[in-house]
Amino acid sequence: MASNNSGSNRSEVPQAREALDRFKMEVASEIGVPLKQGYNGDLTSAQNGSVGGEMVKRMIKRQEESMSGQSGSY
């Protein structure tokens, strides 16, 4: 039976963790969220959510481009 990892902060591909962290910091910087390494409890849920939402948006766009044979970048 599959386990439910809802709410976990675990990567499916552990080797990708560093790249995802860099991507997160890059997105935060580009959209003006003052994200820093370590504790970010001083940020609002809207600020944190905007970073995650933008990351997902860009990953979906890149996958769609990949599936359609187009090349693009974040």
Side-chain angles (χ1 to χ4, degrees):
M1 179 176 226
S3 64
N4 182 359
N5 291 324
S6 178
S8 74
N9 199 16
R10 180 178 67 83
S11 294
E12 289 299 318
V13 181
Q15 300 84 347
R17 181 52 141 189
E18 188 176 314
L20 284 171
D21 285 341
R22 283 192 312 269
F23 180 44
K24 178 172 55 176
M25 298 303 285
E26 176 185 323
V27 167
S29 175
E30 288 177 11
I31 64 175
V33 174
L35 191 66
K36 56 191 175 297
Q37 294 293 337
Y39 180 73
N40 283 288
D42 53 329
L43 298 178
T44 67
S45 57
Q47 288 173 306
N48 285 314
S50 67
V51 174
E54 184 65 22
M55 288 175 68
V56 169
K57 179 180 169 183
R58 292 181 188 193
M59 287 187 278
I60 290 171
K61 180 178 185 224
R62 181 143 184 191
Q63 184 61 33
E64 288 174 341
E65 289 170 348
S66 172
M67 291 167 50
S68 69
Q70 299 175 6
S71 63
S73 63
Y74 292 116

